[in-house]
Amino acid sequence: MAGSRAVLLPLLLLASLPALSPAGAAQRSGRSRSVSQVCVEKSLIFRSNTPYSTDIVSDPGGQDPLFCVQLDDSKLNYFQQPQDIKESDFAEFSEKYGRHSFVAPSQVQPSFSAFYRAGDPILIYFDSSSVLSMLRQPIKVGASGLCVDGNPAGFLDSKSTSCTRIFANLSKSCMTDPALDAASYYHDFTVLKVPINDTVMPSMKVNVTAVSPPGAPHMKDNTCINVVSEVIYEIEYSGTSGIQSVSVQFKVSNISVNSRSSLQQHFTIHFWTRTLSHTLPRSGNPGYITGAPLLIANSGAKQHMSILRSESDGSCSQFLRHTVQFGRNMRTGCKISLSPILEDSNCSYIQQKLYKAFQGMNSAEDFAVTGSAHSTQAEEWMTILIENCSVEAVNCTSCCMVPVTLEIQILWTKVGLLSNPQAQVVGTRHLYQCQPLKFLNTSLVPVTTIVTFTDMTEWPEPPRGQPQMHWKLPFDIFFPFKISLICRRHLKMLCRAALSPLVRSPGWCFVSLPHVTAAISRSYLPCQRLRNESIRCWSNIPFITVPLSRAHGKSFAHRSELKHAKRIVVKLGSAVVTRGDECGLALGRLASIVEQVSMLQNQGREMMIVTSGAVAFGKQRLRHEILLSQSVRQALHSGQSQLKDMAIPVLEARACAAAGQSGLMALYEAMFTQYSICAAQILVTNLDFHDEQKRRNLNGTLHELLRMNIVPIINTNDAVVPPPEPNSDLQGVISVKDNDSLAARLAVEMKTDLLIVLSDVEGLFDSPPGSDDAKLIDIFYPGDQQSVTFGTKSRVGMGGMEAKVKAALWALQGGTSVVIANGTHPKISGHVITDIVEGKKVGTFFSEVKPAGPTVEQQAEMARAGGRTLAALQPEQRAEIIYRLADLLTDQREEILLANKKDLEEAENKGRLALPLLKRLSLSTSKLNSLAIGLRQIAASSQDSVGRVIRRTRIAKDLDLEQVTVPIGVLLVIFESRPDCLPQVSALAIASGNGLLLKGGKEAAHSNQILHHLTQEALSIHGVRDAVQLVNTREEVEDLCRLDKLIDLIIPRGSSQLVRNIQKAAKGIPVMGHSEGICHVYVDTDASVEKVTRIIRDSKCEYPAACNALETLLIHRDLLRTPLFDQIIDMLRVEQVKIHAGPKFASYLTFSPSEVKSLRIEYGDLECCIEVVDSVQEAVEHIHKYGSSHTDVIITENEKTAEFFLQHVDSACVFWNASTRFSDGYRFGLGAEVGISTSRIHARGPVGIEGLLTTKWLLRGNNHVVSDFSEHGSMKYLHESLPLPQRNAN
């Protein structure tokens, strides 16, 4: 496959041709003067910035046209000839050109593009308005696939897209929306042949030809006629001349007007050229691209070059390898195990094993010259130079020279025109470095792989007249983020109707109202006049998602509804915006807030910000100016200490505001620009709300900005604001005294859905924050303000918490939901706004709807109080409660099954549960009977569980110490689609005296409700009804996991994903459980034939979805190809168990099952992995490496082997000749279990009553003090162990 080195460039003909001068065969002095030309195929050139004359000539040996450069000086050759690398001079070139990193030489010319590159946006030009824009190809976004019009069409990116448009008022949109009119796709603009640098010349324009264009859309009989449903652009291009022609075709359809009119549109852009079809595709960055995989081949099969990759324990992975990426140096290291082959293998065998490990599955023979090489083109491939080790070691007995390091050296160069270079690999060598290996004392061999890239490009001097680099126009910098918005509005609306006069400034458009000023960045809002006086504008927003909408007039009742908020006001308090020294802004917090607001804005929400900070920003600037204005003499003679103490006069707040407003807005603008979002500043005073005309003007300005996807930033005009007037609220309308009241007033005026007030406290407390008994109020109701005591206001600002609550209640009355939260805490400020919108429990939520039941915090407190009362009962009383619950399960069987039937029907109708989960959800008479039996076992075994003495020690005379069992406290048990879990866990909590919070899945709501009712009925016989609580509110699991002051232990019962999520979300609360159940069964050489198939069948097939089901079967190597092995395989095949082969097992088979992707998989179905081990020791090591410490089994008749396995496997449950399915609390005689724990602290394995207890120490003395036991004291320590009291025999 390795071709001749003479032909290196695919389809690139380098030639030095004698040609006539441009004058054309001119005869001078009787001779024709020849001019040197260098040529390449014309089809390979997309751009050329050569200053020399060029020609298009015919190939002397064929018909392909050539692009030729005429050179006056041979030293200024504009082409780079690749060098011929041979094996003999590889090291010489590598050393000469070697570099430590992939860095281009400093003399490389700047990459100036005079033509489109692949992926560049295609520019269009509107002659009537002199606006430069981009050809766009709408795409879909979001689950509904709504159209985003701003996606730029990329050069040479032929593709089709489709999306959906939804019309709220089709009668109006039919004739005003340009997206529906065919003329808007070709009329009034031309396409530019090549990218523009400054001036658009007529020769650069290409008209768009419409093929049979349809008429304009219009309404007829409640139907919109001639609506564009498909647009197809055909674009012809040339590699040297850019875009040649553009045509467009349309398909139209008709849409009927209804309440939810929609249209599916399709857009296709197809590029084509008249170039011969056999040429290789090229892009703006041809050849190998940095980061692209390096191509190799073996016997014609093309693949990616790869090197060894290590596992987490440092061993070499048998399946995963690192892909070698062009231009990126790499180094990897790992260890290869040789222990299975050292005893009976020779040196050559060991060498081959290591060589194979270095090479991977297939050894590479050839490498590709370019990244687009074809496997059938021999000239595009070259042979890899390989240098191996010698077989025998020198001066070493019983040694073998083995490869321990592979160095892959890759030489590359850039060839072709400097304006269009191509990165090509010109040589590759695999160099193995060896060292002697002793057969008898080495089992692990550390190996290393090194990949180095060396740039051999020799760049000629740049020719005279090299074109200079030009900056692109400003609006082209962010082209991937621009979106076209079709805004039909009258031209007079923005600059004449209520918004006059219009004052222009470079880069800004200032719109003045009486007492209202709006500033909009103009550099990101180029507008183009369309027909019917509509304007097309581009706003720097990355995408638009599904529009959110809801009827305004009533606030949200629950936090979970906040995610539906469409229009949101974020109020930033002075303490949030300013630094701790009150002089300057907290830039980190502001940047985080801007990022969150931008994220919500880009989701399709309408965001507004009411901000403080102008006074603080101005104070910083004015202090700086005062210090700078001190005379040089004063600064020199005052001394360093006096300079620090230099008195700065008190600065008037209004002067600070005047100095800081422009800087504050500039900062916001710079931050929002990073997310391609425009911002506008509006300054208001109280007078703007009192005057009806001004208020309408303000309202119109804000609505217009929101419609244009601009974030309004509102602030009181503190430079002119009068002093606050006390008690100035009139007729129920709040007066604007500070930014809290301003935010509330704006929220109601603009009919916003949500007002977020950020301050320097977590929210609203029932007493001043910082006091001992202060508790954060999660939900605040209008009638609760009498129970709140307000403290002092924050270090800065005018309001304080009392002002915030007053403003929040006024906004709530106006239909706006309110959340007050902390915007300064470093751990939560980075996501506080998004958390609030997602409905998480952050801050204080103001709601008009007070739920009938208690809050989850109140439920946790009730459970703690009830649990303490429960623990104080006599053991017989707790057992009586459990017996009563068991009786209720059988007596109320019909009601329980009826409620469960409702859950099953709802789950089946909604189709949201898989079949295994439906089985877990289902209850039956037999299940209820089994539950009742298990509960009676718990009651019988719990007589002395609480208060049992487990240790007694006599410390000294009359000083006795006891350690006794006590409940843990309050347990939170979260379970999925398993209603039978509720009475089991409740019985265990009752027996152990713990308070209990239960959070079940909504799919079992009816079943959980009646089971909890029966549990509380049983608890009522001894007055502890509140000890077990069922959380019925809309609390998220993540919010429950944050109640570290109220909950002592979390026990998840459900999928491994649920357990992992809870372990991640729990903050300061221990979680008991396991995330995976990867259980092993090891079949030893001494295993009984009768026991093996029975145990394996029961472990895997009895209930494959259980966490204690077999997942990996380990078989001793000596059992392969024996009748016992065949019986195991036949049994699994009969039971329809899908087998995955482990890597060692696969190596023994000619035709193996599908090889396992990982040895750490919990299948939870009729699937398992089979792997081969050489000994019980290796089986133990395998379990420790890939297991989850759940349950592991050995099947053997050799007692010594079994005891070794039992003692050395570090899992919660280790069995000998028994099924893994015995790992269960009921089967262990615990009556029931709250779960299986794989942790090593407190409880392990199936957790029953004992796992829900902890201990406390009781010391009984008689006037004992520590000083009596000092060196000269009268007493001595005894530390005598005392007998334990007899346990209840029953």
Side-chain angles (χ1 to χ4, degrees):
M1 186 170 191
S4 169
R5 192 62 188 87
V7 184
L8 177 63
L9 284 174
L11 302 176
L12 178 59
L13 306 177
L14 295 176
S16 180
L17 304 177
L20 294 180
S21 67
Q27 298 291 329
R28 296 185 181 179
S29 302
R31 296 183 302 171
S32 64
R33 186 172 62 87
S34 64
V35 178
S36 176
Q37 290 185 325
V38 181
C39 308
V40 297
E41 279 193 11
K42 173 188 171 185
S43 60
L44 298 181
I45 303 299
F46 272 140
R47 62 187 190 274
S48 170
N49 59 347
T50 174
Y52 298 108
S53 301
T54 61
D55 282 337
I56 305 296
V57 300
S58 297
D59 179 8
Q63 298 180 351
D64 296 341
L66 300 179
F67 173 81
C68 301
V69 180
Q70 298 178 2
L71 302 176
D72 297 330
D73 188 346
S74 60
K75 293 182 180 180
L76 298 180
N77 187 347
Y78 222 64
F79 290 86
Q80 174 66 40
Q81 180 74 33
Q83 302 191 49
D84 189 10
I85 307 299
K86 301 177 181 178
E87 183 174 1
S88 59
D89 53 9
F90 192 100
E92 177 185 349
F93 279 107
S94 177
E95 181 179 356
K96 177 180 178 182
Y97 295 99
R99 293 184 179 91
H100 295 291
S101 61
F102 183 65
V103 179
S106 59
Q107 61 267 34
V108 174
Q109 301 304 309
S111 57
F112 170 77
S113 172
F115 291 85
Y116 288 115
R117 293 170 295 181
D120 281 354
I122 298 172
L123 299 185
I124 60 176
Y125 185 71
F126 292 86
D127 291 279
S128 58
S129 56
S130 300
V131 170
L132 193 63
S133 181
M134 292 170 291
L135 187 67
R136 303 176 187 275
Q137 184 172 13
I139 58 174
K140 65 181 179 181
V141 70
S144 302
L146 298 184
C147 290
V148 173
D149 293 307
N151 180 60
F155 184 62
L156 299 186
D157 189 10
S158 297
K159 64 180 179 181
S160 298
T161 59
S162 61
C163 58
T164 302
R165 300 187 188 275
I166 300 176
F167 306 97
N169 187 351
L170 181 60
S171 301
K172 180 179 178 181
S173 301
C174 179
M175 294 178 289
T176 61
D177 192 342
L180 308 183
D181 189 355
S184 66
Y185 295 96
Y186 68 91
H187 197 266
D188 291 340
F189 69 86
T190 55
V191 177
L192 299 188
K193 293 183 179 181
V194 294
I196 183 176
N197 294 326
D198 38 42
T199 305
V200 178
M201 305 297 294
S203 59
M204 300 173 63
K205 302 175 185 177
V206 177
N207 292 322
V208 182
T209 304
V211 180
S212 302
H218 58 278
M219 293 297 300
K220 181 180 180 181
D221 299 332
N222 210 34
T223 301
C224 185
I225 309 297
N226 277 350
V227 174
V228 173
S229 60
E230 184 171 2
V231 181
I232 303 174
Y233 282 105
E234 294 282 345
I235 302 177
E236 179 190 359
Y237 70 93
S238 165
T240 54
S241 303
I243 294 176
Q244 301 298 295
S245 64
V246 181
S247 64
V248 60
Q249 305 177 50
F250 302 96
K251 291 184 180 179
V252 295
S253 60
N254 303 328
I255 311 177
S256 299
V257 177
N258 54 53
S259 59
R260 192 67 172 170
S261 301
S262 62
L263 171 67
Q264 182 82 8
Q265 285 189 317
H266 305 276
F267 302 89
T268 301
I269 295 183
H270 176 248
F271 292 85
W272 63 283
T273 181
R274 302 181 188 275
T275 314
L276 297 178
S277 59
H278 69 269
T279 57
L280 291 178
R282 293 285 299 272
S283 69
N285 190 6
Y288 272 113
I289 301 174
T290 302
L294 205 67
L295 297 183
I296 58 173
N298 180 20
S299 302
K302 188 164 65 172
Q303 55 191 298
H304 296 163
M305 180 182 288
S306 62
I307 59 176
L308 285 170
R309 180 173 180 173
S310 64
E311 296 280 7
S312 58
D313 60 353
S315 63
C316 297
S317 174
Q318 301 185 42
F319 310 104
L320 302 177
R321 293 174 66 86
H322 288 293
T323 299
V324 177
Q325 298 177 336
F326 179 78
R328 292 178 179 168
N329 297 337
M330 304 174 67
R331 177 187 291 267
T332 64
C334 57
K335 295 180 180 180
I336 296 178
S337 174
L338 296 179
S339 54
I341 65 170
L342 282 177
E343 298 178 0
D344 52 357
S345 300
N346 56 28
C347 179
S348 177
Y349 182 81
I350 298 175
Q351 280 190 329
Q352 293 305 315
K353 179 180 177 66
L354 291 174
Y355 279 129
K356 186 175 181 181
F358 275 116
Q359 296 165 359
M361 299 298 293
N362 299 305
S363 60
E365 298 175 353
D366 305 294
F367 68 89
V369 174
T370 65
S372 58
H374 292 279
S375 57
T376 57
Q377 301 294 325
E379 68 275 7
E380 299 179 17
W381 297 82
M382 294 183 64
T383 302
I384 297 175
L385 308 177
I386 300 176
E387 182 178 339
N388 291 339
C389 303
S390 62
V391 176
E392 298 180 357
V394 181
N395 298 327
C396 181
T397 305
S398 300
C399 288
C400 177
M401 292 293 290
V402 296
V404 294
T405 301
L406 168 60
E407 183 176 356
I408 302 176
Q409 302 172 344
I410 301 169
L411 307 184
W412 68 280
T413 186
K414 286 187 176 180
V415 300
L417 287 178
L418 283 179
S419 59
N420 190 24
Q422 184 182 63
Q424 297 188 5
V425 175
V426 294
T428 300
R429 180 172 70 168
H430 288 193
L431 177 62
Y432 290 95
Q433 298 179 7
C434 307
Q435 70 179 27
L437 170 70
K438 280 213 170 192
F439 286 101
L440 300 179
N441 58 4
T442 304
S443 60
L444 290 175
V445 177
V447 294
T448 305
T449 310
I450 304 170
V451 180
T452 58
F453 286 82
T454 301
D455 183 2
M456 298 177 54
T457 306
E458 292 185 348
W459 298 91
E461 296 179 3
R464 293 179 295 275
Q466 174 74 28
Q468 299 298 313
M469 188 71 175
H470 293 277
W471 290 105
K472 293 185 177 181
L473 296 179
F475 54 80
D476 192 33
I477 295 175
F478 295 97
F479 70 84
F481 307 105
K482 294 190 178 68
I483 286 196
S484 173
L485 301 176
I486 307 303
C487 321
R488 169 159 178 81
R489 60 185 181 272
H490 204 273
L491 290 177
K492 300 177 183 178
M493 178 178 297
L494 185 61
C495 297
R496 287 181 59 186
L499 298 178
S500 60
L502 180 65
V503 182
R504 297 190 179 274
S505 176
W508 290 86
C509 173
F510 290 93
V511 184
S512 300
L513 286 78
H515 303 286
V516 179
T517 303
I520 306 173
S521 172
R522 195 176 54 181
S523 60
Y524 300 104
L525 287 174
C527 295
Q528 163 213 334
R529 184 193 300 268
L530 301 177
R531 293 173 297 113
N532 300 325
E533 293 186 311
S534 64
I535 296 180
R536 169 173 295 197
C537 300
W538 287 271
S539 176
N540 292 328
I541 54 177
F543 56 87
I544 297 177
T545 58
V546 182
L548 303 166
S549 62
R550 78 178 188 97
H552 188 80
K554 192 174 182 180
S555 61
F556 294 118
H558 305 283
R559 283 184 184 268
S560 58
E561 298 173 353
L562 295 180
K563 60 187 176 184
H564 301 298
K566 163 72 173 176
R567 185 171 291 174
I568 302 172
V569 172
V570 179
K571 187 267 175 181
L572 306 180
S574 301
V576 177
V577 177
T578 60
R579 299 200 309 250
D581 59 3
E582 304 176 21
C583 186
L585 302 179
L587 297 181
R589 285 200 294 268
L590 272 183
S592 176
I593 290 170
V594 167
E595 181 180 16
Q596 295 173 76
V597 171
S598 301
M599 184 185 305
L600 296 174
Q601 178 82 3
N602 291 333
Q603 290 175 0
R605 306 179 198 269
E606 297 175 345
M607 304 298 296
M608 292 182 283
I609 295 178
V610 176
T611 181
S612 303
V615 174
F617 194 77
K619 185 185 294 185
Q620 181 188 33
R621 294 181 62 182
L622 292 181
R623 283 186 175 181
H624 185 66
E625 289 297 324
I626 291 173
L627 288 175
L628 290 180
S629 65
Q630 301 290 338
S631 66
V632 177
R633 179 173 301 179
Q634 182 180 359
L636 291 175
H637 291 281
S638 60
Q640 186 65 24
S641 60
Q642 295 180 20
L643 189 61
K644 290 182 179 179
D645 300 332
M646 186 181 297
I648 297 178
V650 177
L651 301 176
E652 208 276 328
R654 280 177 286 197
C656 293
Q661 283 169 356
S662 60
L664 178 65
M665 186 58 203
L667 179 62
Y668 274 117
E669 176 65 26
M671 289 182 174
F672 275 111
T673 299
Q674 301 304 313
Y675 302 96
S676 300
I677 290 179
C678 295
Q681 182 184 29
I682 296 181
L683 301 176
V684 298
T685 65
N686 199 19
L687 299 176
D688 297 316
F689 293 95
H690 290 172
D691 186 279
E692 183 64 23
Q693 180 62 38
K694 295 175 183 177
R695 192 161 61 88
R696 281 200 302 266
N697 291 346
L698 174 62
N699 192 287
T701 301
L702 289 172
H703 277 91
E704 180 67 9
L705 293 175
L706 293 176
R707 190 173 65 82
M708 295 165 61
N709 288 291
I710 296 172
V711 176
I713 299 177
I714 306 107
N715 191 4
T716 54
N717 195 349
D718 295 328
V720 298
V721 68
E725 301 177 10
N727 303 320
S728 58
D729 295 350
L730 301 175
Q731 298 179 354
V733 178
I734 193 169
S735 176
V736 177
K737 310 183 195 65
D738 49 45
N739 279 337
D740 295 317
S741 54
L742 170 61
R745 186 68 183 267
L746 277 173
V748 175
E749 291 280 349
M750 295 297 295
K751 297 181 179 179
T752 58
D753 302 317
L754 175 61
L755 168 60
I756 300 175
V757 180
L758 297 184
S759 182
D760 56 351
V761 292
E762 279 69 19
L764 186 60
F765 289 78
D766 56 0
S767 58
S771 58
D772 293 338
D773 298 328
K775 292 183 180 179
L776 178 66
I777 300 175
D778 175 41
I779 304 177
F780 188 78
Y781 308 98
D784 291 347
Q785 62 263 38
Q786 301 299 328
S787 61
V788 177
T789 303
F790 296 103
T792 59
K793 68 184 186 72
S794 64
R795 57 179 171 81
V796 289
M798 300 173 58
M801 186 55 70
E802 188 172 4
K804 291 175 174 56
V805 173
K806 181 178 180 181
L809 291 176
W810 191 86
L812 186 67
Q813 185 180 1
T816 297
S817 298
V818 183
V819 175
I820 298 178
N822 191 338
T824 62
H825 197 290
K827 291 186 178 180
I828 64 174
S829 60
H831 45 79
V832 59
I833 299 176
T834 53
D835 282 353
I836 290 172
V837 176
E838 290 172 5
K840 296 182 180 179
K841 292 186 69 172
V842 179
T844 299
F845 172 60
F846 286 71
S847 174
E848 293 182 303
V849 180
K850 193 167 187 176
T855 65
V856 66
E857 290 84 0
Q858 292 171 335
Q859 284 185 294
E861 292 176 350
M862 293 163 62
R864 185 175 297 280
R868 287 170 177 166
T869 305
L870 184 65
L873 295 177
Q874 294 298 318
E876 295 79 9
Q877 293 175 306
R878 290 192 295 270
E880 187 180 352
I881 295 173
I882 301 174
Y883 281 126
R884 176 59 179 157
L885 178 57
D887 294 338
L888 288 173
L889 290 180
T890 54
D891 296 343
Q892 305 293 328
R893 179 187 303 109
E894 299 300 327
E895 289 82 355
I896 297 173
L897 295 179
L898 182 62
N900 184 247
K901 183 180 179 182
K902 292 181 181 179
D903 290 328
L904 289 171
E905 289 175 351
E906 291 181 5
E908 291 174 353
N909 292 337
K910 295 179 180 179
R912 64 188 182 192
L913 287 183
L915 184 59
L917 294 180
L918 280 175
K919 291 181 179 179
R920 290 185 178 184
L921 178 61
S922 174
L923 292 176
S924 62
T925 301
S926 60
K927 268 191 177 182
L928 293 176
N929 290 335
S930 298
L931 275 174
I933 294 172
L935 264 58
R936 293 187 177 95
Q937 286 182 352
I938 294 173
S941 63
S942 65
Q943 295 293 329
D944 60 348
S945 57
V946 180
R948 177 167 55 89
V949 179
I950 61 176
R951 178 184 297 177
R952 293 183 67 215
T953 304
R954 176 154 293 163
I955 304 298
K957 183 181 178 181
D958 296 332
L959 185 62
D960 293 342
L961 177 68
E962 288 183 348
Q963 185 182 14
V964 299
T965 58
V966 294
I968 289 177
V970 176
L971 312 177
L972 169 61
V973 178
I974 303 171
F975 54 97
E976 293 177 322
S977 61
R978 291 188 61 175
D980 57 332
C981 177
L982 192 150
Q984 287 180 341
V985 174
S986 298
L988 289 171
I990 294 168
S992 58
N994 285 289
L996 180 62
L997 273 179
L998 293 163
K999 174 66 174 176
K1002 57 185 177 182
E1003 64 277 356
H1006 299 290
S1007 304
N1008 292 337
Q1009 196 67 43
I1010 189 170
L1011 290 173
H1012 177 251
H1013 174 74
L1014 296 178
T1015 302
Q1016 289 197 318
E1017 183 178 337
L1019 287 164
S1020 298
I1021 64 177
H1022 288 295
V1024 286
R1025 179 186 181 90
D1026 293 338
V1028 176
Q1029 298 285 328
L1030 178 65
V1031 179
N1032 288 318
T1033 58
R1034 304 186 182 190
E1035 300 293 332
E1036 296 292 339
V1037 171
E1038 185 175 345
D1039 294 328
L1040 292 173
C1041 293
R1042 295 174 179 170
L1043 302 177
D1044 57 312
K1045 301 294 179 59
L1046 301 173
I1047 296 172
D1048 300 301
L1049 179 65
I1050 301 176
I1051 305 174
R1053 295 288 304 272
S1055 65
S1056 59
Q1057 186 61 47
L1058 171 71
V1059 177
R1060 283 193 293 269
N1061 290 342
I1062 291 175
Q1063 289 173 336
K1064 182 179 180 181
K1067 306 296 183 183
I1069 308 176
V1071 179
M1072 184 167 65
H1074 67 282
S1075 58
E1076 291 178 312
I1078 304 175
C1079 303
H1080 295 76
V1081 172
Y1082 166 59
V1083 182
D1084 190 54
T1085 52
D1086 298 324
S1088 167
V1089 176
E1090 294 76 15
K1091 296 177 182 178
V1092 168
T1093 53
R1094 275 174 50 84
I1095 294 174
I1096 295 176
R1097 179 188 289 110
D1098 187 78
S1099 298
K1100 179 73 254 185
C1101 308
E1102 196 265 342
Y1103 189 12
C1107 64
N1108 55 10
L1110 163 68
E1111 303 295 358
T1112 300
L1113 178 61
L1114 301 177
I1115 298 179
H1116 196 282
R1117 181 179 61 177
D1118 295 344
L1119 294 179
L1120 294 179
R1121 301 182 179 88
T1122 64
L1124 175 58
F1125 177 77
D1126 295 337
Q1127 289 181 28
I1128 296 172
I1129 299 300
D1130 291 341
M1131 181 273 295
L1132 294 175
R1133 185 179 296 112
V1134 170
E1135 296 292 340
Q1136 298 182 345
V1137 177
K1138 183 178 180 180
I1139 298 174
H1140 301 276
K1144 289 189 65 176
F1145 181 46
S1147 67
Y1148 286 100
L1149 303 177
T1150 305
F1151 301 99
S1152 68
S1154 61
E1155 194 162 335
V1156 69
K1157 296 180 180 178
S1158 171
L1159 291 170
R1160 293 189 180 94
I1161 295 180
E1162 181 181 9
Y1163 296 100
D1165 204 347
L1166 286 174
E1167 296 182 65
C1168 75
C1169 169
I1170 296 181
E1171 182 59 311
V1172 174
V1173 293
D1174 294 338
S1175 63
V1176 65
Q1177 174 69 39
E1178 188 175 340
V1180 172
E1181 293 174 356
H1182 179 99
I1183 291 170
H1184 289 166
K1185 185 175 181 179
Y1186 300 108
S1188 61
S1189 301
H1190 193 291
T1191 302
D1192 300 293
V1193 173
I1194 183 174
I1195 306 177
T1196 184
E1197 298 303 308
N1198 188 317
E1199 183 177 355
K1200 183 178 179 181
T1201 303
E1203 288 300 326
F1204 179 88
F1205 186 88
L1206 294 175
Q1207 296 301 321
H1208 286 79
V1209 172
D1210 185 17
S1211 296
C1213 301
V1214 188
F1215 302 159
W1216 174 20
N1217 288 346
S1219 168
T1220 59
R1221 298 279 290 121
F1222 279 104
S1223 179
D1224 177 80
Y1226 174 78
R1227 299 183 179 105
F1228 277 13
L1230 305 179
E1233 66 182 29
V1234 293
I1236 296 179
S1237 173
T1238 57
S1239 66
R1240 288 165 171 77
I1241 299 177
H1242 181 60
R1244 202 173 184 200
V1247 179
I1249 298 175
E1250 298 292 332
L1252 300 181
L1253 296 172
T1254 184
T1255 63
K1256 70 177 180 181
W1257 298 90
L1258 304 178
L1259 184 63
R1260 296 179 175 89
N1262 184 15
N1263 196 28
H1264 287 82
V1265 292
V1266 173
S1267 59
D1268 291 341
F1269 295 85
S1270 63
E1271 183 179 355
H1272 303 290
S1274 58
M1275 302 196 71
K1276 301 293 183 183
Y1277 289 110
L1278 300 178
H1279 294 152
E1280 296 177 358
S1281 295
L1282 300 178
L1284 299 178
Q1286 294 295 320
R1287 299 183 61 178
N1288 192 331
N1290 294 326

